[in-house]
Amino acid sequence: MGPSTEGAAVTTRGLTKRFRGGQVAVDRLDLDVPPGAVYGFLGPNGSGKTTTIRMLLGLVSPTAGTARLLGQPVPAASASVLPRVGALVEGPAFHPYLSGRANLRRLDAADRTTAPRTSAARTAAALERVGLSAAAGKRYRVYSLGMRQRLGLAAALLRPRDLLVLDEPTNGLDPQGTREVRTLVREVAADGTTVLVSTHLLAEVEQICSHVGVMSAGRLVAAGTLAEVTAGATTRVRVECRQPAVAVTVLTGLGVSPVRTEAGTVDAELATADPEQVLAALVAAGAGVRQFVLARARLEDLFVELTGAGFDVRG
Amino acid sequence: MMRTAVRWTIPAAVATAVIGGSLAWPSLAGAAPDLAPTTAADLMADVAGSQAQALSGTVEQTTDIGLPQLPSGAAGQDPASLTALLGGTTTARVWSDGAERSRIAVLGSLAETDVVRNGADMWTWRSGTGTVTHAVVPSGRPAAAAPGQPQLTPAQAADQALAAVGPTTQVTLGSPATVAGRQARTLVLEPKDAASLIGRVVIAVDAATAMPLQVQVFSRGSAEPAVQTGFTSVSFGAPAASEVAPALPLGSAVEEVTPQALQAQAGTVPQPTVVGSGWTSVAVLRAAGAQLGSAPSGAAGAADPTALLKAMSVPVSGAYGSGRLITSSVFSALVLDDGRVLVGAVPAPELERAAMDAAAQP
Amino acid sequence: MGDGRLLLSEFLLVLRRRRNQVLLGLLALVTVLIGVAVDVSGPARDGEGPAFLRSITDNGLFLSFTALVVSLPVFLPLVVSVVSGESIAGEASTGTLRYLLVVPVDRTRLLVVKLLSVVLFGLLAAVLVAVVGAVVGAVLFPIGELRLLSGTTVSYGQGLLRLAGVALYVAAVLATVAALGVFVSTLTEVPIAAMAATALAVVLVEVLDAVPQLSALHPWLFTHDWLAFGDLLRDPVSVAGLGHGLLVQACWDAVLVTLAWARMTTRDVTS
């Protein structure tokens, strides 16, 4: 098996959830989130991400397998380990007729491990951190989607955490808000908190994540550092030339299978071929190369390749 | 974490314990005690010779004689009405100083009827109307038993049953029982005449005081009592004066009832003629048909007598005339259009035969 | 203690809910209306209307007892059905249940806190009816010595004490409705369904209790002894009926609470 799980922030072994209808949501999942990582948890809708997160947090009981958070078994040790875990699960949820502050005070009151005296200061600090101080007294029902998302983050950050589990944290946020969340995650990670973030914005993952894991149909189909995972993917080459037919012949001769030709452009996976040799061969054959671009594999391509699914962006 | 199935066994276990406990409780509480042997004759003599006891306790009377279900009394209605006593359970608290003073409080839902005796004075308080009636009754009658009032206490019922013991009755000693937490011997009274609807009468007699604690009347061939009256709790000793002689609202509010009025009210003016003897005797009341079914003292909440009679009876006719017949597991009654009422612990044909008896003619 | 904090938070949540405030207001209104109606139309005739109605003009304190008799079969259980049906299903439907659980709040602890807050709400409702009745009764009608069911009288202070006992007994029987509602509430994510099912279940049991052919079953129905609080108005106070009532309630409570616990601690929270 992979690296040592000692000190891992999240570990699952054979974690399985079969719902009552017989549908297998998570199938023998072995997940390892190293401490200090910002772990991008990817997968199309219905791939089992949310069910996995729910099992980690003790909301859903696993059919088989084990899970450990911060080294302790869950759900057996949930009571002692969950106070160190902040979570945003499937969007924010609060009492609509309570203010943002009152909602946070209620969650704070539910935590037996915090001191009642410092509750007001804690909630104020959390609201400040997500930029909601001005709207703290308003009822949750009048909050915009972005404000609701921020309040959810504030709840996850009510106290210092060792692990943050964020399910779609930028959902509904405007570009400015998205940037703020990204900054927030970086700050939190810089303090040494491990972050497990599930998202559909792959650009975001490439910007903030150190590790990724890709789920498909209940199984983990790729996992590792961002570099490790993307290394497995092939580099593509895009050739703009006067004679595309010649270019196709040359590329095919080199064992590079061209994928697309359109309007004077040939697009191909480079595989193991050396880009310098390819360019030299194209020039020698007189293809009339105008532009030769090497494109590192993008996570999105990799994702489509691994899961066989495009992202249907959630509304 | 406990498995799902294991967790669901806990409510299942609690439910089983509750149901099992409620079913097992009566048999646990009624375990047969170990008492020194005696004879039926000695026990009857003991009962006859027993002194009236100073006591306080709770008496429950349960009637299940197979009459049609009557509408049960609503909250706040008189708990001592006839309809309440013909079916179901009536609970009363009793206090007695063993001499002149006694009190029976018949408990109803948000209602109470108290009958308080002090020598010849008898006061009746009905919470439903907030009224007190006062009557002077001849002393010597059983405490608190006014004409038309139900024979609620076990001692009164036992006295009646034992007074009827004669050559037509076989008396045997039953197995010991526990009644109201007290050890008791039992007397079993069985009619020799097979025509009687009554199979046997079982009287539980307190081992220490020889006071009857419970009377059960079984119809022939039945294992469950048709009528049962008995203490559910009892403690011997003089009750507090405030309990046995409560301060009822006296003065101008008290309605005086003369003994004659009391009798008329209860419909006991006509003296019955008795046809036959012993357990199969039939009482014939003349010109009482119109009064049958009227609740004692015309209590609030009692159903309309005519409707009540209709609900409980079926029309009959024969050589004796025509009328309505009431049948139950322990008695039958024939209400004839000529005003005669025949009542007896016998099947309907026996009543019809009695109706044609020369002594029973109107 | 941490639990007191959560319970307080939970109870305040229930109290802040506008709908719950309206329900309490309606209970108070029913009490006031009875008082005003009796004041306007004069004393009821014998055997008319609910128990104690006739006595209100003698002693205003009977307004409290009358209002409790009137409210106990329908209004009070309905109010408790609404609050208890909401308890778990409401949190599940808004999604706040998952956030409470990841705080973390132990599921058993959450269930106990939810149940206690509903029981407290039932107590509040019963006390509200009693207090509004006593105050309105004191304003509109004479007060003084209280005539009990047994015909004897006790002082007004003693009467208030007995009223407090009656309110506590009413709260105790409402606790069974609360336990039923919380159990039903763990079964669904639709609070309105839990409220309706609870209220219907109470009405069903009351109907069963009124069918004479089922009389053997009656002593074990949880609504059967609801009016046993009348035993507190006897002289001397009778404890047998009250005791049986409380025992039956306790049996139902034990079964319903363990059912709710089994469901609560094993359910998958997927809302």
Side-chain angles (χ1 to χ4, degrees):
Chain A
M1 209 45 242
S4 159
T5 60
E6 280 303 305
V10 179
T11 320
T12 74
R13 289 293 172 264
L15 195 66
T16 302
K17 179 64 188 183
R18 189 177 298 111
F19 281 109
R20 224 182 298 168
Q23 168 219 355
V24 179
V26 177
D27 190 9
R28 287 162 286 162
L29 179 69
D30 296 331
L31 185 68
D32 291 285
V33 177
V38 177
Y39 194 101
F41 198 34
L42 313 177
N45 286 342
S47 61
K49 284 177 305 181
T50 299
T51 304
T52 303
I53 287 174
R54 284 179 180 275
M55 283 194 280
L56 292 176
L57 297 173
L59 296 173
V60 167
S61 53
T63 313
T66 58
R68 298 178 89 83
L69 283 189
L70 302 169
Q72 299 192 55
V74 283
S78 288
S80 61
V81 71
L82 284 185
R84 296 162 62 200
V85 179
L88 183 66
V89 194
E90 264 197 304
F94 294 94
H95 289 285
Y97 48 90
L98 290 185
S99 69
R101 185 188 293 117
N103 266 301
L104 287 193
R105 291 294 292 269
R106 176 168 157 73
L107 287 175
D108 193 71
D111 190 346
R112 323 172 85 144
T113 58
T114 59
R117 203 167 299 174
T118 50
S119 175
R122 250 193 320 277
T123 48
L127 288 164
E128 177 70 41
R129 194 160 186 188
V130 298
L132 268 184
S133 297
K138 286 186 184 164
R139 286 181 172 226
Y140 178 73
R141 67 194 315 166
V142 302
Y143 277 22
S144 67
L145 192 54
M147 291 162 86
R148 294 178 176 196
Q149 197 72 18
R150 285 161 195 252
L151 189 61
L153 284 167
L157 295 170
L158 254 180
R159 46 182 296 184
R161 311 284 191 181
D162 294 323
L163 173 65
L164 264 189
V165 178
L166 303 176
D167 195 3
E168 303 287 0
T170 55
N171 206 7
L173 293 182
D174 55 18
Q176 170 68 17
T178 308
R179 199 152 45 238
E180 283 172 12
V181 168
R182 214 180 292 141
T183 312
L184 199 66
V185 169
R186 285 210 187 96
E187 278 173 23
V188 168
D191 294 343
T193 300
T194 309
V195 182
L196 175 65
V197 54
S198 112
T199 178
H200 65 272
L201 297 178
L202 295 172
E204 203 170 85
V205 172
E206 287 180 308
Q207 286 189 49
I208 61 171
C209 291
S210 62
H211 294 68
V212 289
V214 182
M215 294 280 288
S216 175
R219 313 209 59 168
L220 197 62
V221 289
T225 64
L226 190 59
E228 281 167 6
V229 170
T230 50
T234 51
T235 308
R236 301 189 73 86
V237 63
R238 203 167 63 104
V239 184
E240 205 181 307
C241 56
R242 210 167 0 95
Q243 309 219 1
V246 175
V248 169
T249 316
V250 171
L251 289 169
T252 312
L254 286 169
V256 177
S257 54
V259 176
R260 297 184 284 254
T261 41
E262 59 173 272
T265 306
V266 178
D267 200 10
E269 266 183 26
L270 211 46
T272 52
D274 178 11
E276 283 176 35
Q277 284 180 2
V278 171
L279 180 56
L282 283 170
V283 173
V289 177
R290 290 203 196 103
Q291 199 178 23
F292 183 85
V293 182
L294 281 178
R296 274 267 310 284
R298 289 182 56 241
L299 198 54
E300 184 169 347
D301 302 313
L302 174 70
F303 184 86
V304 173
E305 191 180 304
L306 287 170
T307 64
F311 270 112
D312 52 308
V313 178
R314 293 201 285 188
Chain B
M1 194 177 183
M2 259 191 278
R3 297 298 303 170
T4 301
V6 176
R7 288 189 181 242
W8 285 99
T9 60
I10 290 173
V14 170
T16 310
V18 165
I19 294 167
S22 62
L23 293 179
W25 180 251
S27 62
L28 283 177
D34 196 18
L35 292 171
T38 183
T39 65
D42 286 351
L43 190 51
M44 279 180 72
D46 285 348
V47 173
S50 68
Q51 299 292 312
Q53 298 285 330
L55 62 84
S56 45
T58 304
V59 172
E60 211 170 82
Q61 176 182 307
T62 307
T63 310
D64 179 16
I65 55 176
L67 284 176
Q69 290 285 354
L70 300 166
S72 50
Q77 293 187 344
D78 187 356
S81 67
L82 184 64
T83 49
L85 294 170
L86 276 178
T89 300
T90 304
T91 305
R93 295 201 285 170
V94 297
W95 294 266
S96 170
D97 70 351
E100 295 278 272
R101 297 190 299 179
S102 70
R103 170 183 170 203
I104 296 183
V106 186
L107 309 184
S109 178
L110 303 179
E112 187 171 316
T113 296
D114 284 60
V115 179
V116 179
R117 279 286 299 265
N118 189 351
D121 291 315
M122 184 182 83
W123 289 274
T124 306
W125 154 262
R126 294 178 197 281
S127 72
T129 52
T131 53
V132 177
T133 52
H134 174 247
V136 177
V137 292
S139 54
R141 281 178 181 271
Q149 278 291 339
Q151 304 292 301
L152 260 173
T153 69
Q156 293 162 7
D159 285 348
Q160 282 193 337
L162 290 174
V165 167
T168 59
T169 309
Q170 182 188 337
V171 182
T172 54
L173 204 61
S175 50
T178 301
V179 176
R182 295 183 67 85
Q183 300 190 335
R185 297 189 172 91
T186 58
L187 275 174
V188 181
L189 279 50
E190 283 176 280
K192 289 177 181 168
D193 190 338
S196 172
L197 284 174
I198 293 171
R200 63 187 193 282
V201 175
V202 179
I203 302 171
V205 180
D206 186 36
T209 64
M211 191 187 82
L213 294 175
Q214 178 179 275
V215 177
Q216 295 170 301
V217 180
F218 294 80
S219 62
R220 192 165 290 280
S222 171
E224 294 296 319
V227 182
Q228 168 172 325
T229 179
F231 283 100
T232 53
S233 72
V234 64
S235 63
F236 293 99
S242 63
E243 291 174 352
V244 71
L248 293 176
L250 303 177
S252 58
V254 176
E255 181 194 350
E256 287 294 335
V257 180
T258 61
Q260 291 78 13
L262 199 65
Q263 298 226 316
Q265 209 173 17
T268 53
V269 169
Q271 284 300 309
T273 308
V274 176
V275 179
S277 66
W279 292 89
T280 53
S281 61
V282 173
V284 183
L285 292 89
R286 292 189 179 81
Q291 285 167 319
L292 188 116
S294 70
S297 315
D304 170 36
T306 322
L308 192 63
L309 176 62
K310 272 216 162 119
M312 293 193 302
S313 63
V314 291
V316 286
S317 62
Y320 50 86
S322 64
R324 298 189 74 87
L325 175 71
I326 301 170
T327 52
S328 77
S329 62
V330 288
F331 78 90
S332 305
L334 193 56
V335 183
L336 294 175
D337 296 340
D338 59 21
R340 286 182 296 160
V341 175
L342 293 88
V343 184
V346 291
E350 294 286 329
L351 279 189
E352 291 172 345
R353 200 171 306 138
M356 290 183 285
D357 193 286
Q361 292 316 306
Chain C
M1 198 174 144
D3 281 344
R5 207 171 144 216
L6 181 58
L7 179 59
L8 181 67
S9 157
E10 181 61 39
F11 191 52
L12 288 178
L13 182 76
V14 171
L15 285 187
R16 273 186 203 158
R17 192 83 201 248
R18 185 64 49 83
R19 185 196 58 209
N20 297 346
Q21 294 168 357
V22 169
L23 287 173
L24 288 178
L26 286 175
L27 277 176
L29 187 66
V30 167
T31 310
V32 173
L33 284 180
I34 296 172
V36 171
V38 171
D39 190 40
V40 170
S41 68
R45 301 218 323 267
D46 289 343
E48 260 185 11
F52 302 126
L53 187 66
R54 197 181 46 78
S55 308
I56 294 177
T57 45
D58 296 337
N59 190 328
L61 199 54
F62 275 111
L63 181 55
S64 293
F65 295 113
T66 310
L68 283 170
V69 171
V70 169
S71 311
L72 192 48
V74 179
F75 296 134
L76 283 168
L78 195 68
V79 167
V80 174
S81 295
V82 167
V83 177
S84 60
E86 170 87 22
S87 61
I88 305 285
E91 300 271 8
S93 77
T94 57
T96 43
L97 180 60
R98 61 175 184 264
Y99 283 107
L100 277 176
L101 294 180
V102 301
V103 160
V105 181
D106 181 74
R107 291 181 182 212
T108 306
R109 178 177 161 232
L110 182 61
L111 184 73
V112 169
V113 165
K114 285 279 179 188
L115 182 63
L116 283 180
S117 78
V118 183
V119 170
L120 277 179
F121 191 81
L123 175 66
L124 177 69
V127 168
L128 180 77
V129 172
V131 168
V132 170
V135 170
V136 174
V139 170
L140 295 180
F141 307 104
I143 57 170
E145 287 195 329
L146 193 75
R147 185 159 304 286
L148 300 174
L149 288 174
S150 302
T152 56
T153 55
V154 290
S155 69
Y156 189 73
Q158 171 73 226
L160 285 175
L161 203 63
R162 293 192 184 222
L163 177 61
V166 168
L168 280 177
Y169 182 81
V170 169
V173 305
L174 290 176
T176 307
V177 179
L180 175 68
V182 169
F183 167 54
V184 175
S185 191
T186 61
L187 297 175
T188 172
E189 288 166 8
V190 188
I192 195 87
M195 297 173 196
T198 307
L200 280 176
V202 173
V203 171
L204 178 72
V205 172
E206 287 181 330
V207 167
L208 291 180
D209 196 30
V211 176
Q213 282 74 11
L214 298 175
S215 57
L217 202 63
H218 289 173
W220 301 106
L221 298 178
F222 61 79
T223 61
H224 185 69
D225 297 299
W226 278 8
L227 294 180
F229 68 72
D231 287 3
L232 285 166
L233 299 177
R234 304 191 196 279
D235 186 19
V237 168
S238 166
V239 288
L242 288 173
H244 182 263
L246 292 175
L247 179 71
V248 170
Q249 305 295 327
C251 289
W252 279 94
D253 290 345
V255 173
L256 290 169
V257 168
T258 48
L259 275 173
W261 173 80
R263 169 65 183 163
M264 181 71 183
T265 53
T266 56
R267 84 186 278 189
D268 282 340
V269 178
T270 52
S271 62

